[in-house]
PDB file of all heavy atoms in Angstrom:
ATOM      1  N   LYS T   1      -2.911   5.141  14.143  1.00  0.00           N
ATOM      2  CA  LYS T   1      -3.424   5.459  12.798  1.00  0.00           C
ATOM      3  C   LYS T   1      -3.136   6.912  12.399  1.00  0.00           C
ATOM      4  O   LYS T   1      -3.909   7.523  11.667  1.00  0.00           O
ATOM      5  CB  LYS T   1      -4.933   5.189  12.712  1.00  0.00           C
ATOM      6  CG  LYS T   1      -5.323   3.753  12.940  1.00  0.00           C
ATOM      7  CD  LYS T   1      -6.803   3.517  12.631  1.00  0.00           C
ATOM      8  CE  LYS T   1      -7.704   4.223  13.610  1.00  0.00           C
ATOM      9  NZ  LYS T   1      -9.139   3.942  13.341  1.00  0.00           N
ATOM     10  N   VAL T   2      -2.037   7.458  12.899  1.00  0.00           N
ATOM     11  CA  VAL T   2      -1.699   8.861  12.644  1.00  0.00           C
ATOM     12  C   VAL T   2      -0.484   8.978  11.733  1.00  0.00           C
ATOM     13  O   VAL T   2      -0.531   9.614  10.677  1.00  0.00           O
ATOM     14  CB  VAL T   2      -1.444   9.611  13.973  1.00  0.00           C
ATOM     15  CG1 VAL T   2      -0.959  11.031  13.678  1.00  0.00           C
ATOM     16  CG2 VAL T   2      -2.701   9.632  14.823  1.00  0.00           C
ATOM     17  N   ASN T   3       0.608   8.380  12.140  1.00  0.00           N
ATOM     18  CA  ASN T   3       1.869   8.527  11.419  1.00  0.00           C
ATOM     19  C   ASN T   3       2.080   7.382  10.424  1.00  0.00           C
ATOM     20  O   ASN T   3       1.825   6.215  10.741  1.00  0.00           O
ATOM     21  CB  ASN T   3       3.039   8.556  12.410  1.00  0.00           C
ATOM     22  CG  ASN T   3       2.947   9.726  13.365  1.00  0.00           C
ATOM     23  OD1 ASN T   3       2.793  10.878  12.946  1.00  0.00           O
ATOM     24  ND2 ASN T   3       3.022   9.446  14.662  1.00  0.00           N
ATOM     25  N   VAL T   4       2.561   7.727   9.241  1.00  0.00           N
ATOM     26  CA  VAL T   4       2.912   6.733   8.228  1.00  0.00           C
ATOM     27  C   VAL T   4       4.275   6.149   8.576  1.00  0.00           C
ATOM     28  O   VAL T   4       5.244   6.893   8.757  1.00  0.00           O
ATOM     29  CB  VAL T   4       2.950   7.367   6.828  1.00  0.00           C
ATOM     30  CG1 VAL T   4       3.467   6.364   5.803  1.00  0.00           C
ATOM     31  CG2 VAL T   4       1.570   7.878   6.436  1.00  0.00           C
ATOM     32  N   ILE T   5       4.365   4.832   8.667  1.00  0.00           N
ATOM     33  CA  ILE T   5       5.645   4.202   8.996  1.00  0.00           C
ATOM     34  C   ILE T   5       6.245   3.442   7.817  1.00  0.00           C
ATOM     35  O   ILE T   5       7.420   3.090   7.839  1.00  0.00           O
ATOM     36  CB  ILE T   5       5.526   3.274  10.219  1.00  0.00           C
ATOM     37  CG1 ILE T   5       4.542   2.139   9.969  1.00  0.00           C
ATOM     38  CG2 ILE T   5       5.144   4.061  11.456  1.00  0.00           C
ATOM     39  CD1 ILE T   5       4.497   1.134  11.108  1.00  0.00           C
ATOM     40  N   ASP T   6       5.435   3.194   6.790  1.00  0.00           N
ATOM     41  CA  ASP T   6       5.970   2.551   5.589  1.00  0.00           C
ATOM     42  C   ASP T   6       4.946   2.696   4.472  1.00  0.00           C
ATOM     43  O   ASP T   6       3.763   2.921   4.730  1.00  0.00           O
ATOM     44  CB  ASP T   6       6.272   1.073   5.836  1.00  0.00           C
ATOM     45  CG  ASP T   6       7.425   0.558   4.981  1.00  0.00           C
ATOM     46  OD1 ASP T   6       7.815   1.266   4.026  1.00  0.00           O
ATOM     47  OD2 ASP T   6       7.932  -0.540   5.255  1.00  0.00           O
ATOM     48  N   ARG T   7       5.420   2.590   3.227  1.00  0.00           N
ATOM     49  CA  ARG T   7       4.515   2.655   2.085  1.00  0.00           C
ATOM     50  C   ARG T   7       5.170   1.960   0.899  1.00  0.00           C
ATOM     51  O   ARG T   7       6.399   1.819   0.835  1.00  0.00           O
ATOM     52  CB  ARG T   7       4.139   4.095   1.746  1.00  0.00           C
ATOM     53  CG  ARG T   7       5.262   4.977   1.303  1.00  0.00           C
ATOM     54  CD  ARG T   7       4.842   6.447   1.338  1.00  0.00           C
ATOM     55  NE  ARG T   7       3.574   6.654   0.660  1.00  0.00           N
ATOM     56  CZ  ARG T   7       2.639   7.512   1.091  1.00  0.00           C
ATOM     57  NH1 ARG T   7       2.839   8.228   2.175  1.00  0.00           N
ATOM     58  NH2 ARG T   7       1.515   7.664   0.422  1.00  0.00           N
ATOM     59  N   CYS T   8       4.337   1.518  -0.047  1.00  0.00           N
ATOM     60  CA  CYS T   8       4.860   0.817  -1.219  1.00  0.00           C
ATOM     61  C   CYS T   8       4.054   1.238  -2.438  1.00  0.00           C
ATOM     62  O   CYS T   8       2.815   1.285  -2.406  1.00  0.00           O
ATOM     63  CB  CYS T   8       4.755  -0.691  -1.010  1.00  0.00           C
ATOM     64  SG  CYS T   8       5.434  -1.690  -2.360  1.00  0.00           S
ATOM     65  N   SER T   9       4.751   1.552  -3.527  1.00  0.00           N
ATOM     66  CA  SER T   9       4.101   1.955  -4.771  1.00  0.00           C
ATOM     67  C   SER T   9       3.843   0.745  -5.662  1.00  0.00           C
ATOM     68  O   SER T   9       4.649  -0.191  -5.704  1.00  0.00           O
ATOM     69  CB  SER T   9       4.970   2.960  -5.530  1.00  0.00           C
ATOM     70  OG  SER T   9       5.168   4.127  -4.758  1.00  0.00           O
ATOM     71  N   PRO T  10       2.721   0.745  -6.388  1.00  0.00           N
ATOM     72  CA  PRO T  10       2.384  -0.394  -7.254  1.00  0.00           C
ATOM     73  C   PRO T  10       3.358  -0.545  -8.421  1.00  0.00           C
ATOM     74  O   PRO T  10       3.656   0.421  -9.122  1.00  0.00           O
ATOM     75  CB  PRO T  10       0.979  -0.055  -7.764  1.00  0.00           C
ATOM     76  CG  PRO T  10       0.443   0.955  -6.813  1.00  0.00           C
ATOM     77  CD  PRO T  10       1.633   1.732  -6.352  1.00  0.00           C
ATOM     78  N   LYS T  11       3.814  -1.753  -8.605  1.00  0.00           N
ATOM     79  CA  LYS T  11       4.641  -2.117  -9.749  1.00  0.00           C
ATOM     80  C   LYS T  11       4.324  -3.566 -10.080  1.00  0.00           C
ATOM     81  O   LYS T  11       4.292  -4.413  -9.179  1.00  0.00           O
ATOM     82  CB  LYS T  11       6.133  -1.957  -9.415  1.00  0.00           C
ATOM     83  CG  LYS T  11       7.065  -2.374 -10.541  1.00  0.00           C
ATOM     84  CD  LYS T  11       8.519  -2.280 -10.110  1.00  0.00           C
ATOM     85  CE  LYS T  11       9.459  -2.766 -11.203  1.00  0.00           C
ATOM     86  NZ  LYS T  11      10.870  -2.755 -10.763  1.00  0.00           N
ATOM     87  N   ALA T  12       4.068  -3.855 -11.337  1.00  0.00           N
ATOM     88  CA  ALA T  12       3.705  -5.207 -11.730  1.00  0.00           C
ATOM     89  C   ALA T  12       4.735  -6.224 -11.249  1.00  0.00           C
ATOM     90  O   ALA T  12       5.946  -5.999 -11.366  1.00  0.00           O
ATOM     91  CB  ALA T  12       3.555  -5.289 -13.250  1.00  0.00           C
ATOM     92  N   ASN T  13       4.252  -7.316 -10.678  1.00  0.00           N
ATOM     93  CA  ASN T  13       5.075  -8.414 -10.168  1.00  0.00           C
ATOM     94  C   ASN T  13       5.858  -8.046  -8.910  1.00  0.00           C
ATOM     95  O   ASN T  13       6.868  -8.630  -8.594  1.00  0.00           O
ATOM     96  CB  ASN T  13       6.029  -8.952 -11.242  1.00  0.00           C
ATOM     97  CG  ASN T  13       6.419 -10.396 -10.995  1.00  0.00           C
ATOM     98  OD1 ASN T  13       5.803 -11.107 -10.192  1.00  0.00           O
ATOM     99  ND2 ASN T  13       7.458 -10.847 -11.686  1.00  0.00           N
ATOM    100  N   ARG T  14       5.353  -7.058  -8.184  1.00  0.00           N
ATOM    101  CA  ARG T  14       5.926  -6.699  -6.880  1.00  0.00           C
ATOM    102  C   ARG T  14       5.022  -7.240  -5.779  1.00  0.00           C
ATOM    103  O   ARG T  14       3.802  -7.207  -5.881  1.00  0.00           O
ATOM    104  CB  ARG T  14       6.069  -5.191  -6.761  1.00  0.00           C
ATOM    105  CG  ARG T  14       6.399  -4.680  -5.354  1.00  0.00           C
ATOM    106  CD  ARG T  14       6.624  -3.174  -5.351  1.00  0.00           C
ATOM    107  NE  ARG T  14       7.880  -2.829  -6.010  1.00  0.00           N
ATOM    108  CZ  ARG T  14       8.252  -1.584  -6.305  1.00  0.00           C
ATOM    109  NH1 ARG T  14       7.441  -0.577  -6.035  1.00  0.00           N
ATOM    110  NH2 ARG T  14       9.423  -1.360  -6.878  1.00  0.00           N
ATOM    111  N   CYS T  15       5.639  -7.722  -4.712  1.00  0.00           N
ATOM    112  CA  CYS T  15       4.912  -8.171  -3.528  1.00  0.00           C
ATOM    113  C   CYS T  15       5.308  -7.287  -2.346  1.00  0.00           C
ATOM    114  O   CYS T  15       6.482  -6.989  -2.157  1.00  0.00           O
ATOM    115  CB  CYS T  15       5.242  -9.642  -3.231  1.00  0.00           C
ATOM    116  SG  CYS T  15       4.565 -10.274  -1.669  1.00  0.00           S
ATOM    117  N   PHE T  16       4.313  -6.885  -1.582  1.00  0.00           N
ATOM    118  CA  PHE T  16       4.554  -6.091  -0.375  1.00  0.00           C
ATOM    119  C   PHE T  16       3.825  -6.784   0.767  1.00  0.00           C
ATOM    120  O   PHE T  16       2.622  -6.986   0.703  1.00  0.00           O
ATOM    121  CB  PHE T  16       4.017  -4.669  -0.570  1.00  0.00           C
ATOM    122  CG  PHE T  16       4.273  -3.741   0.591  1.00  0.00           C
ATOM    123  CD1 PHE T  16       5.560  -3.486   1.027  1.00  0.00           C
ATOM    124  CD2 PHE T  16       3.210  -3.107   1.234  1.00  0.00           C
ATOM    125  CE1 PHE T  16       5.805  -2.617   2.079  1.00  0.00           C
ATOM    126  CE2 PHE T  16       3.434  -2.228   2.282  1.00  0.00           C
ATOM    127  CZ  PHE T  16       4.744  -1.990   2.715  1.00  0.00           C
ATOM    128  N   TRP T  17       4.581  -7.173   1.800  1.00  0.00           N
ATOM    129  CA  TRP T  17       3.941  -7.922   2.887  1.00  0.00           C
ATOM    130  C   TRP T  17       4.248  -7.325   4.249  1.00  0.00           C
ATOM    131  O   TRP T  17       5.239  -6.630   4.442  1.00  0.00           O
ATOM    132  CB  TRP T  17       4.317  -9.400   2.821  1.00  0.00           C
ATOM    133  CG  TRP T  17       5.745  -9.766   3.085  1.00  0.00           C
ATOM    134  CD1 TRP T  17       6.773  -9.761   2.193  1.00  0.00           C
ATOM    135  CD2 TRP T  17       6.304 -10.234   4.322  1.00  0.00           C
ATOM    136  NE1 TRP T  17       7.932 -10.190   2.798  1.00  0.00           N
ATOM    137  CE2 TRP T  17       7.676 -10.489   4.101  1.00  0.00           C
ATOM    138  CE3 TRP T  17       5.779 -10.471   5.586  1.00  0.00           C
ATOM    139  CZ2 TRP T  17       8.512 -10.960   5.104  1.00  0.00           C
ATOM    140  CZ3 TRP T  17       6.617 -10.937   6.583  1.00  0.00           C
ATOM    141  CH2 TRP T  17       7.970 -11.178   6.332  1.00  0.00           C
ATOM    142  N   PHE T  18       3.351  -7.605   5.197  1.00  0.00           N
ATOM    143  CA  PHE T  18       3.409  -6.981   6.519  1.00  0.00           C
ATOM    144  C   PHE T  18       2.547  -7.801   7.476  1.00  0.00           C
ATOM    145  O   PHE T  18       1.792  -8.693   7.057  1.00  0.00           O
ATOM    146  CB  PHE T  18       2.909  -5.533   6.455  1.00  0.00           C
ATOM    147  CG  PHE T  18       1.629  -5.362   5.674  1.00  0.00           C
ATOM    148  CD1 PHE T  18       0.399  -5.452   6.305  1.00  0.00           C
ATOM    149  CD2 PHE T  18       1.656  -5.118   4.299  1.00  0.00           C
ATOM    150  CE1 PHE T  18      -0.782  -5.314   5.586  1.00  0.00           C
ATOM    151  CE2 PHE T  18       0.476  -4.975   3.576  1.00  0.00           C
ATOM    152  CZ  PHE T  18      -0.742  -5.079   4.226  1.00  0.00           C
ATOM    153  N   LYS T  19       2.646  -7.488   8.739  1.00  0.00           N
ATOM    154  CA  LYS T  19       1.833  -8.179   9.738  1.00  0.00           C
ATOM    155  C   LYS T  19       0.362  -7.801   9.554  1.00  0.00           C
ATOM    156  O   LYS T  19       0.031  -6.637   9.361  1.00  0.00           O
ATOM    157  CB  LYS T  19       2.307  -7.826  11.147  1.00  0.00           C
ATOM    158  CG  LYS T  19       3.702  -8.356  11.461  1.00  0.00           C
ATOM    159  CD  LYS T  19       4.281  -7.744  12.726  1.00  0.00           C
ATOM    160  CE  LYS T  19       3.548  -8.224  13.964  1.00  0.00           C
ATOM    161  NZ  LYS T  19       4.246  -7.793  15.207  1.00  0.00           N
ATOM    162  N   SER T  20      -0.510  -8.788   9.649  1.00  0.00           N
ATOM    163  CA  SER T  20      -1.925  -8.565   9.367  1.00  0.00           C
ATOM    164  C   SER T  20      -2.618  -7.684  10.395  1.00  0.00           C
ATOM    165  O   SER T  20      -3.685  -7.125  10.124  1.00  0.00           O
ATOM    166  CB  SER T  20      -2.666  -9.905   9.268  1.00  0.00           C
ATOM    167  OG  SER T  20      -2.142 -10.695   8.231  1.00  0.00           O
ATOM    168  N   ASN T  21      -2.033  -7.574  11.594  1.00  0.00           N
ATOM    169  CA  ASN T  21      -2.646  -6.727  12.628  1.00  0.00           C
ATOM    170  C   ASN T  21      -2.108  -5.301  12.610  1.00  0.00           C
ATOM    171  O   ASN T  21      -2.229  -4.571  13.580  1.00  0.00           O
ATOM    172  CB  ASN T  21      -2.461  -7.348  14.016  1.00  0.00           C
ATOM    173  CG  ASN T  21      -0.996  -7.542  14.396  1.00  0.00           C
ATOM    174  OD1 ASN T  21      -0.103  -7.122  13.665  1.00  0.00           O
ATOM    175  ND2 ASN T  21      -0.739  -8.175  15.530  1.00  0.00           N
ATOM    176  N   GLN T  22      -1.542  -4.922  11.470  1.00  0.00           N
ATOM    177  CA  GLN T  22      -1.019  -3.575  11.298  1.00  0.00           C
ATOM    178  C   GLN T  22      -2.047  -2.713  10.549  1.00  0.00           C
ATOM    179  O   GLN T  22      -2.649  -3.148   9.560  1.00  0.00           O
ATOM    180  CB  GLN T  22       0.290  -3.616  10.501  1.00  0.00           C
ATOM    181  CG  GLN T  22       1.004  -2.288  10.394  1.00  0.00           C
ATOM    182  CD  GLN T  22       1.571  -1.827  11.724  1.00  0.00           C
ATOM    183  OE1 GLN T  22       1.845  -2.634  12.608  1.00  0.00           O
ATOM    184  NE2 GLN T  22       1.721  -0.528  11.874  1.00  0.00           N
ATOM    185  N   TRP T  23      -2.268  -1.486  11.030  1.00  0.00           N
ATOM    186  CA  TRP T  23      -3.163  -0.563  10.345  1.00  0.00           C
ATOM    187  C   TRP T  23      -2.611  -0.219   8.961  1.00  0.00           C
ATOM    188  O   TRP T  23      -1.423   0.092   8.811  1.00  0.00           O
ATOM    189  CB  TRP T  23      -3.326   0.725  11.142  1.00  0.00           C
ATOM    190  CG  TRP T  23      -4.023   0.597  12.461  1.00  0.00           C
ATOM    191  CD1 TRP T  23      -3.479   0.706  13.698  1.00  0.00           C
ATOM    192  CD2 TRP T  23      -5.421   0.348  12.673  1.00  0.00           C
ATOM    193  NE1 TRP T  23      -4.446   0.539  14.671  1.00  0.00           N
ATOM    194  CE2 TRP T  23      -5.648   0.322  14.073  1.00  0.00           C
ATOM    195  CE3 TRP T  23      -6.510   0.146  11.806  1.00  0.00           C
ATOM    196  CZ2 TRP T  23      -6.903   0.099  14.618  1.00  0.00           C
ATOM    197  CZ3 TRP T  23      -7.762  -0.072  12.358  1.00  0.00           C
ATOM    198  CH2 TRP T  23      -7.950  -0.091  13.749  1.00  0.00           C
ATOM    199  N   HIS T  24      -3.467  -0.257   7.951  1.00  0.00           N
ATOM    200  CA  HIS T  24      -3.019   0.058   6.596  1.00  0.00           C
ATOM    201  C   HIS T  24      -4.216   0.441   5.728  1.00  0.00           C
ATOM    202  O   HIS T  24      -5.368   0.211   6.101  1.00  0.00           O
ATOM    203  CB  HIS T  24      -2.274  -1.129   5.978  1.00  0.00           C
ATOM    204  CG  HIS T  24      -3.131  -2.347   5.771  1.00  0.00           C
ATOM    205  ND1 HIS T  24      -3.465  -3.215   6.796  1.00  0.00           N
ATOM    206  CD2 HIS T  24      -3.760  -2.833   4.670  1.00  0.00           C
ATOM    207  CE1 HIS T  24      -4.226  -4.179   6.341  1.00  0.00           C
ATOM    208  NE2 HIS T  24      -4.435  -3.967   5.049  1.00  0.00           N
ATOM    209  N   ASN T  25      -3.931   1.001   4.573  1.00  0.00           N
ATOM    210  CA  ASN T  25      -4.970   1.235   3.569  1.00  0.00           C
ATOM    211  C   ASN T  25      -4.343   1.308   2.185  1.00  0.00           C
ATOM    212  O   ASN T  25      -3.120   1.392   2.034  1.00  0.00           O
ATOM    213  CB  ASN T  25      -5.799   2.489   3.874  1.00  0.00           C
ATOM    214  CG  ASN T  25      -5.019   3.782   3.767  1.00  0.00           C
ATOM    215  OD1 ASN T  25      -3.795   3.781   3.605  1.00  0.00           O
ATOM    216  ND2 ASN T  25      -5.703   4.919   3.865  1.00  0.00           N
ATOM    217  N   ALA T  26      -5.217   1.249   1.195  1.00  0.00           N
ATOM    218  CA  ALA T  26      -4.802   1.406  -0.205  1.00  0.00           C
ATOM    219  C   ALA T  26      -5.201   2.796  -0.680  1.00  0.00           C
ATOM    220  O   ALA T  26      -6.100   3.422  -0.115  1.00  0.00           O
ATOM    221  CB  ALA T  26      -5.462   0.334  -1.062  1.00  0.00           C
ATOM    222  N   THR T  27      -4.536   3.255  -1.731  1.00  0.00           N
ATOM    223  CA  THR T  27      -4.831   4.570  -2.298  1.00  0.00           C
ATOM    224  C   THR T  27      -5.309   4.406  -3.738  1.00  0.00           C
ATOM    225  O   THR T  27      -4.615   3.772  -4.537  1.00  0.00           O
ATOM    226  CB  THR T  27      -3.575   5.460  -2.288  1.00  0.00           C
ATOM    227  OG1 THR T  27      -2.996   5.463  -0.979  1.00  0.00           O
ATOM    228  CG2 THR T  27      -3.919   6.876  -2.707  1.00  0.00           C
ATOM    229  N   PRO T  28      -6.475   4.933  -4.091  1.00  0.00           N
ATOM    230  CA  PRO T  28      -6.932   4.849  -5.484  1.00  0.00           C
ATOM    231  C   PRO T  28      -5.967   5.569  -6.422  1.00  0.00           C
ATOM    232  O   PRO T  28      -5.342   6.566  -6.038  1.00  0.00           O
ATOM    233  CB  PRO T  28      -8.296   5.549  -5.458  1.00  0.00           C
ATOM    234  CG  PRO T  28      -8.759   5.438  -4.035  1.00  0.00           C
ATOM    235  CD  PRO T  28      -7.504   5.540  -3.215  1.00  0.00           C
ATOM    236  N   PRO T  29      -5.846   5.091  -7.653  1.00  0.00           N
ATOM    237  CA  PRO T  29      -4.916   5.720  -8.602  1.00  0.00           C
ATOM    238  C   PRO T  29      -5.444   7.049  -9.136  1.00  0.00           C
ATOM    239  O   PRO T  29      -6.646   7.221  -9.322  1.00  0.00           O
ATOM    240  CB  PRO T  29      -4.822   4.681  -9.729  1.00  0.00           C
ATOM    241  CG  PRO T  29      -6.150   3.981  -9.689  1.00  0.00           C
ATOM    242  CD  PRO T  29      -6.534   3.924  -8.240  1.00  0.00           C
ATOM    243  N   LYS T  30      -4.534   7.964  -9.373  1.00  0.00           N
ATOM    244  CA  LYS T  30      -4.883   9.243  -9.990  1.00  0.00           C
ATOM    245  C   LYS T  30      -4.400   9.331 -11.429  1.00  0.00           C
ATOM    246  O   LYS T  30      -4.991  10.037 -12.245  1.00  0.00           O
ATOM    247  CB  LYS T  30      -4.277  10.398  -9.185  1.00  0.00           C
ATOM    248  CG  LYS T  30      -4.867  10.577  -7.795  1.00  0.00           C
ATOM    249  CD  LYS T  30      -4.260  11.786  -7.100  1.00  0.00           C
ATOM    250  CE  LYS T  30      -4.869  11.991  -5.716  1.00  0.00           C
ATOM    251  NZ  LYS T  30      -4.304  13.181  -5.032  1.00  0.00           N
ATOM    252  N   ASP T  31      -3.305   8.629 -11.751  1.00  0.00           N
ATOM    253  CA  ASP T  31      -2.674   8.753 -13.060  1.00  0.00           C
ATOM    254  C   ASP T  31      -2.883   7.537 -13.956  1.00  0.00           C
ATOM    255  O   ASP T  31      -2.440   7.538 -15.108  1.00  0.00           O
ATOM    256  CB  ASP T  31      -1.168   8.985 -12.887  1.00  0.00           C
ATOM    257  CG  ASP T  31      -0.871  10.226 -12.068  1.00  0.00           C
ATOM    258  OD1 ASP T  31      -1.608  11.218 -12.226  1.00  0.00           O
ATOM    259  OD2 ASP T  31       0.086  10.197 -11.267  1.00  0.00           O
ATOM    260  N   HIS T  32      -3.505   6.484 -13.423  1.00  0.00           N
ATOM    261  CA  HIS T  32      -3.781   5.275 -14.195  1.00  0.00           C
ATOM    262  C   HIS T  32      -5.258   4.914 -14.074  1.00  0.00           C
ATOM    263  O   HIS T  32      -5.901   5.265 -13.084  1.00  0.00           O
ATOM    264  CB  HIS T  32      -2.925   4.099 -13.711  1.00  0.00           C
ATOM    265  CG  HIS T  32      -1.455   4.281 -13.917  1.00  0.00           C
ATOM    266  ND1 HIS T  32      -0.692   5.096 -13.100  1.00  0.00           N
ATOM    267  CD2 HIS T  32      -0.609   3.757 -14.839  1.00  0.00           C
ATOM    268  CE1 HIS T  32       0.574   5.062 -13.516  1.00  0.00           C
ATOM    269  NE2 HIS T  32       0.646   4.269 -14.562  1.00  0.00           N
ATOM    270  N   GLN T  33      -5.765   4.208 -15.073  1.00  0.00           N
ATOM    271  CA  GLN T  33      -7.183   3.849 -15.058  1.00  0.00           C
ATOM    272  C   GLN T  33      -7.518   2.870 -13.938  1.00  0.00           C
ATOM    273  O   GLN T  33      -8.594   2.956 -13.341  1.00  0.00           O
ATOM    274  CB  GLN T  33      -7.588   3.244 -16.398  1.00  0.00           C
ATOM    275  CG  GLN T  33      -7.678   4.249 -17.538  1.00  0.00           C
ATOM    276  CD  GLN T  33      -8.236   3.620 -18.800  1.00  0.00           C
ATOM    277  OE1 GLN T  33      -8.056   2.431 -19.052  1.00  0.00           O
ATOM    278  NE2 GLN T  33      -8.911   4.430 -19.605  1.00  0.00           N
ATOM    279  N   THR T  34      -6.612   1.942 -13.675  1.00  0.00           N
ATOM    280  CA  THR T  34      -6.881   0.920 -12.663  1.00  0.00           C
ATOM    281  C   THR T  34      -5.650   0.637 -11.805  1.00  0.00           C
ATOM    282  O   THR T  34      -4.507   0.853 -12.240  1.00  0.00           O
ATOM    283  CB  THR T  34      -7.327  -0.418 -13.303  1.00  0.00           C
ATOM    284  OG1 THR T  34      -6.276  -0.906 -14.151  1.00  0.00           O
ATOM    285  CG2 THR T  34      -8.608  -0.256 -14.088  1.00  0.00           C
ATOM    286  N   ARG T  35      -5.903   0.166 -10.623  1.00  0.00           N
ATOM    287  CA  ARG T  35      -4.874  -0.358  -9.715  1.00  0.00           C
ATOM    288  C   ARG T  35      -5.379  -1.732  -9.282  1.00  0.00           C
ATOM    289  O   ARG T  35      -6.331  -1.851  -8.510  1.00  0.00           O
ATOM    290  CB  ARG T  35      -4.711   0.560  -8.501  1.00  0.00           C
ATOM    291  CG  ARG T  35      -3.784   0.041  -7.404  1.00  0.00           C
ATOM    292  CD  ARG T  35      -3.935   0.926  -6.170  1.00  0.00           C
ATOM    293  NE  ARG T  35      -3.029   0.582  -5.084  1.00  0.00           N
ATOM    294  CZ  ARG T  35      -3.283  -0.318  -4.140  1.00  0.00           C
ATOM    295  NH1 ARG T  35      -4.428  -1.011  -4.167  1.00  0.00           N
ATOM    296  NH2 ARG T  35      -2.410  -0.534  -3.162  1.00  0.00           N
ATOM    297  N   ILE T  36      -4.755  -2.782  -9.806  1.00  0.00           N
ATOM    298  CA  ILE T  36      -5.228  -4.147  -9.557  1.00  0.00           C
ATOM    299  C   ILE T  36      -4.223  -4.882  -8.683  1.00  0.00           C
ATOM    300  O   ILE T  36      -3.021  -4.919  -8.992  1.00  0.00           O
ATOM    301  CB  ILE T  36      -5.431  -4.923 -10.870  1.00  0.00           C
ATOM    302  CG1 ILE T  36      -6.365  -4.149 -11.806  1.00  0.00           C
ATOM    303  CG2 ILE T  36      -6.003  -6.312 -10.596  1.00  0.00           C
ATOM    304  CD1 ILE T  36      -6.521  -4.778 -13.185  1.00  0.00           C
TER     305      ILE T  36
END
């Protein structure tokens, strides 16, 4: 849980998938009202 190995930015109609046993988190938006 130290080094970032991949990341994906939100874009409508984009899918980002990975193994479920992988450490991950989401980041709240700073420049938009919502991230859905």
Side-chain angles (χ1 to χ4, degrees):
K1 298 189 293 183
V2 174
N3 298 308
V4 174
I5 61 175
D6 210 347
R7 64 194 310 142
C8 183
S9 299
K11 178 184 177 183
N13 206 14
R14 169 176 289 171
C15 173
F16 183 59
W17 67 276
F18 46 90
K19 293 167 69 171
S20 299
N21 59 5
Q22 186 69 25
W23 294 109
H24 65 281
N25 67 352
T27 309
K30 293 183 179 181
D31 302 323
H32 295 77
Q33 287 187 330
T34 61
R35 173 191 184 272
I36 305 175

